[in-house]
Amino acid sequence: MAAFVDRVVLHASGGDGGHGCASIHREKFKPLAGPDGGNGGNGGSVILVVDPQVTTLLDYHHAPHRHAPSGTQGMGDHRQGSTGQDLVLPVPDGTVVKSTDGEVLADLVGAGATFVVAEGGHGGLGNAALSSPRRKAPGFALLGEPGDARDVVLELKTIADVALVGFPSAGKSSLVAAMSAARPKIADYPFTTLVPNLGVVQAGDARYTVADVPGLIPGASEGKGLGLEFLRHVERCAVLVHVLDCATLEPGRDPLTDLDVIEAELAAYAGDIGIEGGRVPLTERPRMVVLNKIDVPEARELADLVRPDLEARGLRVFEISTASHEGLRPLTFALAEVVGQARRDAPAPEATRVVLRPKAVDEAGFTVARRQDGDHEYFQVRGSKPERWVRQTDFANDEAVGYLADRLARLGVEEKLLKAGAVAGAEVVIGDGPSAVVFDWEPTLMTGSELLGGPRGSDQRLEDHSRPTRGQKRQEYKERMDAKAEARAELWTEREAGLWRED
């Protein structure tokens, strides 16, 4: 029998993008026929999709690490790299995706609902795509971006029409087995059921689902027992059914007291959940009371005794026996009636609205901030474009570094650095974390095709063309004269010693 797992931590990572190719087309009588390096392929993404055939998160409990395939590298002769296939992970209906901090990222309800957990990285451009009238034969290509990596928490909130709540051993699992074809484990356990049980009930033309919610004891809303692990399964139900044990032998237990305790726990839990999608608050949903185990003579007498008090509270009361199936048929049709009314009163699903958020005219797409870490001062550049360009740059290629400088200058990064107070030699950090790039900033004085005359893979701006100052020239002349004087003195000493003489 498959185990029921309703909460897992998923470690997902998208595939890396393939690197672009730097290649020059060569053929007979055309040794340099232009760049022909292809682009790298995009990496695959990790996507969650609701599958009605999946009822548990057990697969991700055993294998929580999932990685999408990466794209391949581009090749010469304009051959593109292959794209990594998306990794589609099926999840049950009613799965809630949360961050590790508890923020709700997605609520997957309905077959086919999707959520992208980790996007794949973009492939790098080859030198054929980077060529332009000014840069006709680039000697570099862009690197592929690494895929996103994210840890998310998957929680399953059972989508059932009827939720059975009550104390342990009240007969909830037995009622599910008696009303449907489900066959949960049933015995005289001194503890609660460890997993929720779900069953489908057919009452005439109506069909609905019933789930028992185990783990409800005094203090369950505060985390005692297994209450918090399973209380979330009542959030999506339309009807709450209190299953009260009329044949319990525990001291201090009676149907009215059990009802008050469970109602208090549900009310305490309802204050901590957010109702979404127009659902009725938990404390306002229809309720029924089932007095179970009336096949026992003492239990039948107790049921007849407490029934008037329960009906005085406005609750519909049904006396049943899961052992003899007495009273089950009226209960199933009454639940079908209430579920049908709840479905008719539910708001019609609205079409997904497409929200367009255009960027402002003066929005640069990046920020430059002056940071102070003790005595250490630096300038941090954050933004999707600069950080993506840095990840795509091959810093072992001078021409690629020069291309990055041109892109940053056209974007306006240097202007923002000047406005923030940066001077030549200031430390600049692009990005954040271990993937950030740190360098000493030198303002770009000129950029353009006049700097592209060097060999491929080089950039004249990165070469040292500085002229010596007057002081440096004086120092160099003095060192040269001192060296000549020392050489003359050494020759004269050797001559006096007779080591060599003229013919």
Side-chain angles (χ1 to χ4, degrees), residues 135 364 366 368 381 385-386 389-390 393 400-418 428 430 439 441-448 450-451 459 461:
R135 194 187 301 269
F366 66 93
V368 176
V381 180
K385 285 186 177 181
W389 292 345
V390 165
T393 301
V401 177
Y403 179 69
L404 173 63
D406 292 343
R407 301 177 84 178
L408 294 176
R410 288 195 299 268
L411 188 61
V413 174
E414 294 197 349
E415 297 179 5
K416 287 290 187 70
L417 287 172
L418 290 173
V428 177
I430 300 181
F439 60 92
W441 180 55
E442 293 294 338
T444 302
L445 299 180
M446 59 179 180
T447 60
E450 67 273 6
L451 299 176
D459 193 293
R461 289 169 293 179

mmCIF file of all heavy atoms in Angstrom, residues 135 364 366 368 381 385-386 389-390 393 400-418 428 430 439 441-448 450-451 459 461:
data_model
loop_
_atom_site.group_PDB
_atom_site.id
_atom_site.type_symbol
_atom_site.label_atom_id
_atom_site.label_comp_id
_atom_site.label_asym_id
_atom_site.label_seq_id
_atom_site.Cartn_x
_atom_site.Cartn_y
_atom_site.Cartn_z
ATOM 1 N N ARG A 135 31.731 45.665 -35.863
ATOM 2 C CA ARG A 135 32.471 44.527 -35.313
ATOM 3 C C ARG A 135 32.177 43.346 -36.223
ATOM 4 O O ARG A 135 31.316 42.521 -35.949
ATOM 5 C CB ARG A 135 32.020 44.251 -33.881
ATOM 6 C CG ARG A 135 32.943 43.330 -33.100
ATOM 7 C CD ARG A 135 32.325 42.967 -31.759
ATOM 8 N NE ARG A 135 32.055 44.122 -30.954
ATOM 9 C CZ ARG A 135 32.897 44.650 -30.073
ATOM 10 N NH1 ARG A 135 34.083 44.094 -29.907
ATOM 11 N NH2 ARG A 135 32.567 45.709 -29.364
ATOM 12 N N ALA A 364 15.709 52.970 -15.561
ATOM 13 C CA ALA A 364 16.964 52.521 -16.157
ATOM 14 C C ALA A 364 17.101 51.006 -16.158
ATOM 15 O O ALA A 364 17.859 50.454 -16.945
ATOM 16 C CB ALA A 364 18.149 53.143 -15.425
ATOM 17 N N PHE A 366 18.325 49.307 -13.634
ATOM 18 C CA PHE A 366 19.389 48.921 -12.714
ATOM 19 C C PHE A 366 19.529 50.022 -11.668
ATOM 20 O O PHE A 366 18.997 51.132 -11.818
ATOM 21 C CB PHE A 366 20.721 48.711 -13.450
ATOM 22 C CG PHE A 366 21.286 49.974 -14.042
ATOM 23 C CD1 PHE A 366 22.204 50.745 -13.336
ATOM 24 C CD2 PHE A 366 20.890 50.409 -15.289
ATOM 25 C CE1 PHE A 366 22.720 51.905 -13.872
ATOM 26 C CE2 PHE A 366 21.402 51.573 -15.834
ATOM 27 C CZ PHE A 366 22.317 52.325 -15.130
ATOM 28 N N VAL A 368 22.421 51.813 -8.740
ATOM 29 C CA VAL A 368 23.800 51.974 -8.278
ATOM 30 C C VAL A 368 23.732 52.544 -6.867
ATOM 31 O O VAL A 368 23.140 53.608 -6.657
ATOM 32 C CB VAL A 368 24.608 52.891 -9.205
ATOM 33 C CG1 VAL A 368 26.005 53.110 -8.637
ATOM 34 C CG2 VAL A 368 24.696 52.299 -10.599
ATOM 35 N N VAL A 381 26.253 47.600 -8.137
ATOM 36 C CA VAL A 381 25.347 47.721 -9.278
ATOM 37 C C VAL A 381 24.445 46.493 -9.282
ATOM 38 O O VAL A 381 24.932 45.360 -9.307
ATOM 39 C CB VAL A 381 26.123 47.825 -10.609
ATOM 40 C CG1 VAL A 381 25.159 47.954 -11.779
ATOM 41 C CG2 VAL A 381 27.078 49.009 -10.578
ATOM 42 N N LYS A 385 19.797 43.220 -16.291
ATOM 43 C CA LYS A 385 20.682 43.283 -17.457
ATOM 44 C C LYS A 385 22.164 43.246 -17.079
ATOM 45 O O LYS A 385 22.925 42.421 -17.620
ATOM 46 C CB LYS A 385 20.355 44.518 -18.284
ATOM 47 C CG LYS A 385 19.080 44.406 -19.101
ATOM 48 C CD LYS A 385 18.906 45.612 -20.004
ATOM 49 C CE LYS A 385 17.667 45.458 -20.877
ATOM 50 N NZ LYS A 385 17.488 46.622 -21.788
ATOM 51 N N PRO A 386 22.636 44.136 -16.200
ATOM 52 C CA PRO A 386 24.067 44.061 -15.879
ATOM 53 C C PRO A 386 24.498 42.720 -15.298
ATOM 54 O O PRO A 386 25.566 42.206 -15.656
ATOM 55 C CB PRO A 386 24.250 45.203 -14.859
ATOM 56 C CG PRO A 386 23.117 46.121 -15.090
ATOM 57 C CD PRO A 386 21.983 45.258 -15.521
ATOM 58 N N TRP A 389 24.617 40.152 -18.119
ATOM 59 C CA TRP A 389 25.760 40.368 -19.003
ATOM 60 C C TRP A 389 27.060 39.908 -18.353
ATOM 61 O O TRP A 389 27.936 39.357 -19.036
ATOM 62 C CB TRP A 389 25.849 41.857 -19.358
ATOM 63 C CG TRP A 389 24.720 42.342 -20.214
ATOM 64 C CD1 TRP A 389 23.835 41.568 -20.907
ATOM 65 C CD2 TRP A 389 24.342 43.704 -20.460
ATOM 66 N NE1 TRP A 389 22.926 42.366 -21.566
ATOM 67 C CE2 TRP A 389 23.209 43.672 -21.315
ATOM 68 C CE3 TRP A 389 24.828 44.934 -20.043
ATOM 69 C CZ2 TRP A 389 22.587 44.836 -21.759
ATOM 70 C CZ3 TRP A 389 24.213 46.091 -20.483
ATOM 71 C CH2 TRP A 389 23.114 46.041 -21.334
ATOM 72 N N VAL A 390 27.177 40.117 -17.053
ATOM 73 C CA VAL A 390 28.389 39.679 -16.359
ATOM 74 C C VAL A 390 28.498 38.166 -16.378
ATOM 75 O O VAL A 390 29.579 37.594 -16.581
ATOM 76 C CB VAL A 390 28.381 40.231 -14.918
ATOM 77 C CG1 VAL A 390 29.406 39.509 -14.063
ATOM 78 C CG2 VAL A 390 28.662 41.724 -14.923
ATOM 79 N N THR A 393 29.863 36.853 -19.736
ATOM 80 C CA THR A 393 31.153 37.344 -20.216
ATOM 81 C C THR A 393 32.271 36.377 -19.873
ATOM 82 O O THR A 393 32.381 35.909 -18.733
ATOM 83 C CB THR A 393 31.454 38.729 -19.619
ATOM 84 O OG1 THR A 393 30.417 39.643 -19.988
ATOM 85 C CG2 THR A 393 32.778 39.264 -20.127
ATOM 86 N N ALA A 400 36.016 40.225 -25.192
ATOM 87 C CA ALA A 400 34.739 40.034 -24.524
ATOM 88 C C ALA A 400 34.579 41.011 -23.366
ATOM 89 O O ALA A 400 33.483 41.544 -23.134
ATOM 90 C CB ALA A 400 34.619 38.594 -24.019
ATOM 91 N N VAL A 401 35.685 41.281 -22.651
ATOM 92 C CA VAL A 401 35.629 42.269 -21.566
ATOM 93 C C VAL A 401 35.366 43.656 -22.124
ATOM 94 O O VAL A 401 34.582 44.435 -21.559
ATOM 95 C CB VAL A 401 36.926 42.221 -20.748
ATOM 96 C CG1 VAL A 401 36.915 43.294 -19.660
ATOM 97 C CG2 VAL A 401 37.121 40.853 -20.127
ATOM 98 N N GLY A 402 35.981 43.998 -23.231
ATOM 99 C CA GLY A 402 35.719 45.282 -23.858
ATOM 100 C C GLY A 402 34.282 45.406 -24.335
ATOM 101 O O GLY A 402 33.666 46.484 -24.249
ATOM 102 N N TYR A 403 33.716 44.304 -24.853
ATOM 103 C CA TYR A 403 32.320 44.305 -25.282
ATOM 104 C C TYR A 403 31.391 44.541 -24.096
ATOM 105 O O TYR A 403 30.389 45.274 -24.193
ATOM 106 C CB TYR A 403 32.008 42.976 -25.961
ATOM 107 C CG TYR A 403 30.584 42.827 -26.445
ATOM 108 C CD1 TYR A 403 30.113 43.576 -27.511
ATOM 109 C CD2 TYR A 403 29.723 41.937 -25.821
ATOM 110 C CE1 TYR A 403 28.803 43.434 -27.963
ATOM 111 C CE2 TYR A 403 28.419 41.788 -26.257
ATOM 112 C CZ TYR A 403 27.971 42.528 -27.327
ATOM 113 O OH TYR A 403 26.673 42.390 -27.760
ATOM 114 N N LEU A 404 31.723 43.945 -22.942
ATOM 115 C CA LEU A 404 30.941 44.181 -21.735
ATOM 116 C C LEU A 404 31.019 45.642 -21.314
ATOM 117 O O LEU A 404 30.004 46.246 -20.916
ATOM 118 C CB LEU A 404 31.443 43.278 -20.615
ATOM 119 C CG LEU A 404 30.845 43.517 -19.218
ATOM 120 C CD1 LEU A 404 29.347 43.254 -19.217
ATOM 121 C CD2 LEU A 404 31.539 42.661 -18.177
ATOM 122 N N ALA A 405 32.218 46.248 -21.411
ATOM 123 C CA ALA A 405 32.352 47.662 -21.059
ATOM 124 C C ALA A 405 31.504 48.541 -21.963
ATOM 125 O O ALA A 405 30.879 49.507 -21.509
ATOM 126 C CB ALA A 405 33.826 48.072 -21.131
ATOM 127 N N ASP A 406 31.456 48.204 -23.245
ATOM 128 C CA ASP A 406 30.614 48.972 -24.171
ATOM 129 C C ASP A 406 29.142 48.857 -23.809
ATOM 130 O O ASP A 406 28.405 49.844 -23.833
ATOM 131 C CB ASP A 406 30.839 48.478 -25.610
ATOM 132 C CG ASP A 406 32.242 48.806 -26.112
ATOM 133 O OD1 ASP A 406 32.887 49.664 -25.488
ATOM 134 O OD2 ASP A 406 32.678 48.199 -27.105
ATOM 135 N N ARG A 407 28.696 47.653 -23.478
ATOM 136 C CA ARG A 407 27.282 47.466 -23.132
ATOM 137 C C ARG A 407 26.914 48.221 -21.854
ATOM 138 O O ARG A 407 25.851 48.852 -21.771
ATOM 139 C CB ARG A 407 26.988 45.971 -22.961
ATOM 140 C CG ARG A 407 27.278 45.146 -24.184
ATOM 141 C CD ARG A 407 27.036 43.661 -23.925
ATOM 142 N NE ARG A 407 25.631 43.307 -24.099
ATOM 143 C CZ ARG A 407 25.167 42.062 -23.972
ATOM 144 N NH1 ARG A 407 25.998 41.090 -23.639
ATOM 145 N NH2 ARG A 407 23.893 41.811 -24.143
ATOM 146 N N LEU A 408 27.796 48.170 -20.864
ATOM 147 C CA LEU A 408 27.508 48.883 -19.623
ATOM 148 C C LEU A 408 27.497 50.392 -19.845
ATOM 149 O O LEU A 408 26.684 51.118 -19.254
ATOM 150 C CB LEU A 408 28.536 48.513 -18.555
ATOM 151 C CG LEU A 408 28.513 47.058 -18.075
ATOM 152 C CD1 LEU A 408 29.652 46.813 -17.078
ATOM 153 C CD2 LEU A 408 27.182 46.711 -17.444
ATOM 154 N N ALA A 409 28.410 50.887 -20.709
ATOM 155 C CA ALA A 409 28.439 52.325 -20.981
ATOM 156 C C ALA A 409 27.181 52.772 -21.721
ATOM 157 O O ALA A 409 26.609 53.825 -21.409
ATOM 158 C CB ALA A 409 29.690 52.669 -21.795
ATOM 159 N N ARG A 410 26.714 51.961 -22.681
ATOM 160 C CA ARG A 410 25.488 52.329 -23.411
ATOM 161 C C ARG A 410 24.272 52.272 -22.497
ATOM 162 O O ARG A 410 23.314 53.032 -22.687
ATOM 163 C CB ARG A 410 25.294 51.394 -24.610
ATOM 164 C CG ARG A 410 26.260 51.637 -25.744
ATOM 165 C CD ARG A 410 25.787 50.938 -27.018
ATOM 166 N NE ARG A 410 25.693 49.498 -26.840
ATOM 167 C CZ ARG A 410 26.675 48.645 -27.112
ATOM 168 N NH1 ARG A 410 27.835 49.104 -27.592
ATOM 169 N NH2 ARG A 410 26.519 47.353 -26.925
ATOM 170 N N LEU A 411 24.281 51.385 -21.511
ATOM 171 C CA LEU A 411 23.157 51.282 -20.594
ATOM 172 C C LEU A 411 23.091 52.465 -19.635
ATOM 173 O O LEU A 411 22.025 52.765 -19.093
ATOM 174 C CB LEU A 411 23.256 49.967 -19.812
ATOM 175 C CG LEU A 411 22.073 49.586 -18.927
ATOM 176 C CD1 LEU A 411 20.802 49.407 -19.751
ATOM 177 C CD2 LEU A 411 22.369 48.320 -18.140
ATOM 178 N N GLY A 412 24.212 53.147 -19.439
ATOM 179 C CA GLY A 412 24.241 54.289 -18.541
ATOM 180 C C GLY A 412 24.798 53.988 -17.170
ATOM 181 O O GLY A 412 24.602 54.783 -16.246
ATOM 182 N N VAL A 413 25.505 52.868 -17.021
ATOM 183 C CA VAL A 413 26.052 52.514 -15.718
ATOM 184 C C VAL A 413 27.129 53.506 -15.294
ATOM 185 O O VAL A 413 27.196 53.926 -14.127
ATOM 186 C CB VAL A 413 26.606 51.071 -15.749
ATOM 187 C CG1 VAL A 413 27.309 50.736 -14.447
ATOM 188 C CG2 VAL A 413 25.481 50.085 -16.003
ATOM 189 N N GLU A 414 27.974 53.929 -16.242
ATOM 190 C CA GLU A 414 29.052 54.855 -15.886
ATOM 191 C C GLU A 414 28.505 56.205 -15.452
ATOM 192 O O GLU A 414 29.035 56.836 -14.529
ATOM 193 C CB GLU A 414 30.013 54.996 -17.063
ATOM 194 C CG GLU A 414 30.773 53.717 -17.388
ATOM 195 C CD GLU A 414 31.989 53.992 -18.249
ATOM 196 O OE1 GLU A 414 32.109 55.130 -18.747
ATOM 197 O OE2 GLU A 414 32.810 53.081 -18.418
ATOM 198 N N GLU A 415 27.431 56.657 -16.085
ATOM 199 C CA GLU A 415 26.839 57.927 -15.675
ATOM 200 C C GLU A 415 26.300 57.835 -14.253
ATOM 201 O O GLU A 415 26.482 58.764 -13.442
ATOM 202 C CB GLU A 415 25.723 58.318 -16.642
ATOM 203 C CG GLU A 415 26.200 58.569 -18.068
ATOM 204 C CD GLU A 415 25.050 58.941 -18.989
ATOM 205 O OE1 GLU A 415 23.913 59.087 -18.479
ATOM 206 O OE2 GLU A 415 25.289 59.097 -20.189
ATOM 207 N N LYS A 416 25.648 56.723 -13.939
ATOM 208 C CA LYS A 416 25.133 56.554 -12.587
ATOM 209 C C LYS A 416 26.274 56.450 -11.566
ATOM 210 O O LYS A 416 26.153 56.943 -10.436
ATOM 211 C CB LYS A 416 24.267 55.291 -12.516
ATOM 212 C CG LYS A 416 22.906 55.419 -13.191
ATOM 213 C CD LYS A 416 22.002 56.352 -12.391
ATOM 214 C CE LYS A 416 20.581 56.367 -12.944
ATOM 215 N NZ LYS A 416 19.874 55.116 -12.712
ATOM 216 N N LEU A 417 27.392 55.823 -11.941
ATOM 217 C CA LEU A 417 28.521 55.744 -11.031
ATOM 218 C C LEU A 417 29.099 57.126 -10.745
ATOM 219 O O LEU A 417 29.441 57.453 -9.600
ATOM 220 C CB LEU A 417 29.598 54.820 -11.613
ATOM 221 C CG LEU A 417 29.301 53.320 -11.588
ATOM 222 C CD1 LEU A 417 30.354 52.542 -12.357
ATOM 223 C CD2 LEU A 417 29.228 52.809 -10.152
ATOM 224 N N LEU A 418 29.196 57.959 -11.777
ATOM 225 C CA LEU A 418 29.704 59.314 -11.579
ATOM 226 C C LEU A 418 28.773 60.115 -10.674
ATOM 227 O O LEU A 418 29.224 60.860 -9.789
ATOM 228 C CB LEU A 418 29.877 60.004 -12.927
ATOM 229 C CG LEU A 418 31.019 59.488 -13.814
ATOM 230 C CD1 LEU A 418 30.969 60.139 -15.182
ATOM 231 C CD2 LEU A 418 32.360 59.746 -13.154
ATOM 232 N N VAL A 428 34.004 48.607 -7.672
ATOM 233 C CA VAL A 428 32.634 48.437 -8.156
ATOM 234 C C VAL A 428 32.290 46.950 -8.105
ATOM 235 O O VAL A 428 33.086 46.108 -8.539
ATOM 236 C CB VAL A 428 32.466 48.989 -9.584
ATOM 237 C CG1 VAL A 428 31.050 48.732 -10.094
ATOM 238 C CG2 VAL A 428 32.759 50.474 -9.617
ATOM 239 N N ILE A 430 29.316 44.253 -9.250
ATOM 240 C CA ILE A 430 28.117 43.999 -10.048
ATOM 241 C C ILE A 430 27.529 42.671 -9.586
ATOM 242 O O ILE A 430 28.158 41.627 -9.714
ATOM 243 C CB ILE A 430 28.425 43.957 -11.550
ATOM 244 C CG1 ILE A 430 29.014 45.294 -12.015
ATOM 245 C CG2 ILE A 430 27.175 43.634 -12.355
ATOM 246 C CD1 ILE A 430 29.333 45.342 -13.505
ATOM 247 N N PHE A 439 35.685 44.769 -9.479
ATOM 248 C CA PHE A 439 36.781 45.324 -10.265
ATOM 249 C C PHE A 439 36.981 46.783 -9.868
ATOM 250 O O PHE A 439 36.105 47.416 -9.261
ATOM 251 C CB PHE A 439 36.488 45.209 -11.771
ATOM 252 C CG PHE A 439 35.246 45.940 -12.213
ATOM 253 C CD1 PHE A 439 35.306 47.257 -12.665
ATOM 254 C CD2 PHE A 439 34.016 45.311 -12.176
ATOM 255 C CE1 PHE A 439 34.169 47.925 -13.062
ATOM 256 C CE2 PHE A 439 32.868 45.978 -12.571
ATOM 257 C CZ PHE A 439 32.944 47.293 -13.013
ATOM 258 N N TRP A 441 37.190 50.464 -11.023
ATOM 259 C CA TRP A 441 36.541 51.149 -12.141
ATOM 260 C C TRP A 441 37.470 52.194 -12.748
ATOM 261 O O TRP A 441 38.077 52.996 -12.050
ATOM 262 C CB TRP A 441 35.253 51.812 -11.658
ATOM 263 C CG TRP A 441 34.521 52.548 -12.746
ATOM 264 C CD1 TRP A 441 34.111 52.053 -13.927
ATOM 265 C CD2 TRP A 441 34.127 53.918 -12.724
ATOM 266 N NE1 TRP A 441 33.471 53.021 -14.654
ATOM 267 C CE2 TRP A 441 33.455 54.180 -13.929
ATOM 268 C CE3 TRP A 441 34.264 54.942 -11.787
ATOM 269 C CZ2 TRP A 441 32.944 55.437 -14.242
ATOM 270 C CZ3 TRP A 441 33.741 56.188 -12.089
ATOM 271 C CH2 TRP A 441 33.090 56.430 -13.305
ATOM 272 N N GLU A 442 37.555 52.163 -14.063
ATOM 273 C CA GLU A 442 38.244 53.184 -14.845
ATOM 274 C C GLU A 442 37.255 53.717 -15.865
ATOM 275 O O GLU A 442 36.772 52.968 -16.713
ATOM 276 C CB GLU A 442 39.483 52.618 -15.551
ATOM 277 C CG GLU A 442 40.607 52.204 -14.628
ATOM 278 C CD GLU A 442 41.222 53.384 -13.897
ATOM 279 O OE1 GLU A 442 41.086 54.524 -14.402
ATOM 280 O OE2 GLU A 442 41.819 53.181 -12.837
ATOM 281 N N PRO A 443 36.917 55.011 -15.806
ATOM 282 C CA PRO A 443 35.922 55.550 -16.751
ATOM 283 C C PRO A 443 36.360 55.357 -18.189
ATOM 284 O O PRO A 443 37.531 55.519 -18.541
ATOM 285 C CB PRO A 443 35.850 57.034 -16.374
ATOM 286 C CG PRO A 443 36.390 57.116 -14.984
ATOM 287 C CD PRO A 443 37.414 56.032 -14.874
ATOM 288 N N THR A 444 35.409 54.975 -19.026
ATOM 289 C CA THR A 444 35.670 54.789 -20.445
ATOM 290 C C THR A 444 35.674 56.151 -21.123
ATOM 291 O O THR A 444 34.676 56.885 -21.073
ATOM 292 C CB THR A 444 34.603 53.888 -21.081
ATOM 293 O OG1 THR A 444 34.604 52.641 -20.392
ATOM 294 C CG2 THR A 444 34.901 53.647 -22.544
ATOM 295 N N LEU A 445 36.802 56.496 -21.778
ATOM 296 C CA LEU A 445 36.899 57.803 -22.437
ATOM 297 C C LEU A 445 36.365 57.764 -23.849
ATOM 298 O O LEU A 445 35.807 58.739 -24.335
ATOM 299 C CB LEU A 445 38.363 58.268 -22.437
ATOM 300 C CG LEU A 445 38.986 58.454 -21.049
ATOM 301 C CD1 LEU A 445 40.439 58.916 -21.179
ATOM 302 C CD2 LEU A 445 38.194 59.465 -20.243
ATOM 303 N N MET A 446 36.543 56.663 -24.534
ATOM 304 C CA MET A 446 36.033 56.581 -25.896
ATOM 305 C C MET A 446 35.770 55.125 -26.220
ATOM 306 O O MET A 446 36.486 54.233 -25.785
ATOM 307 C CB MET A 446 37.027 57.175 -26.901
ATOM 308 C CG MET A 446 38.397 56.514 -26.911
ATOM 309 S SD MET A 446 39.473 57.248 -28.121
ATOM 310 C CE MET A 446 40.971 56.287 -27.899
ATOM 311 N N THR A 447 34.738 54.904 -26.987
ATOM 312 C CA THR A 447 34.386 53.571 -27.442
ATOM 313 C C THR A 447 33.952 53.668 -28.887
ATOM 314 O O THR A 447 33.464 54.702 -29.342
ATOM 315 C CB THR A 447 33.236 52.990 -26.616
ATOM 316 O OG1 THR A 447 32.089 53.840 -26.758
ATOM 317 C CG2 THR A 447 33.585 52.880 -25.146
ATOM 318 N N GLY A 448 34.127 52.597 -29.605
ATOM 319 C CA GLY A 448 33.683 52.615 -30.996
ATOM 320 C C GLY A 448 34.574 51.771 -31.863
ATOM 321 O O GLY A 448 35.463 51.054 -31.420
ATOM 322 N N GLU A 450 36.947 52.597 -33.743
ATOM 323 C CA GLU A 450 38.359 52.950 -33.836
ATOM 324 C C GLU A 450 39.223 52.119 -32.911
ATOM 325 O O GLU A 450 40.432 52.102 -33.023
ATOM 326 C CB GLU A 450 38.544 54.446 -33.497
ATOM 327 C CG GLU A 450 38.225 54.787 -32.041
ATOM 328 C CD GLU A 450 36.756 55.091 -31.830
ATOM 329 O OE1 GLU A 450 35.984 54.914 -32.785
ATOM 330 O OE2 GLU A 450 36.399 55.498 -30.718
ATOM 331 N N LEU A 451 38.594 51.399 -31.967
ATOM 332 C CA LEU A 451 39.345 50.564 -31.034
ATOM 333 C C LEU A 451 39.310 49.095 -31.403
ATOM 334 O O LEU A 451 39.742 48.258 -30.627
ATOM 335 C CB LEU A 451 38.804 50.751 -29.622
ATOM 336 C CG LEU A 451 38.904 52.179 -29.054
ATOM 337 C CD1 LEU A 451 38.239 52.247 -27.702
ATOM 338 C CD2 LEU A 451 40.350 52.641 -28.975
ATOM 339 N N ASP A 459 41.577 43.831 -26.992
ATOM 340 C CA ASP A 459 40.934 45.151 -26.923
ATOM 341 C C ASP A 459 42.005 46.153 -26.545
ATOM 342 O O ASP A 459 42.677 46.009 -25.520
ATOM 343 C CB ASP A 459 39.793 45.161 -25.907
ATOM 344 C CG ASP A 459 38.921 46.400 -26.045
ATOM 345 O OD1 ASP A 459 39.424 47.493 -25.759
ATOM 346 O OD2 ASP A 459 37.751 46.267 -26.446
ATOM 347 N N ARG A 461 41.856 49.008 -25.381
ATOM 348 C CA ARG A 461 41.657 49.758 -24.152
ATOM 349 C C ARG A 461 42.249 49.055 -22.949
ATOM 350 O O ARG A 461 42.489 49.674 -21.914
ATOM 351 C CB ARG A 461 40.155 49.989 -23.924
ATOM 352 C CG ARG A 461 39.541 50.984 -24.880
ATOM 353 C CD ARG A 461 38.051 50.966 -24.770
ATOM 354 N NE ARG A 461 37.506 49.701 -25.241
ATOM 355 C CZ ARG A 461 36.220 49.413 -25.245
ATOM 356 N NH1 ARG A 461 35.351 50.288 -24.801
ATOM 357 N NH2 ARG A 461 35.796 48.257 -25.696
#
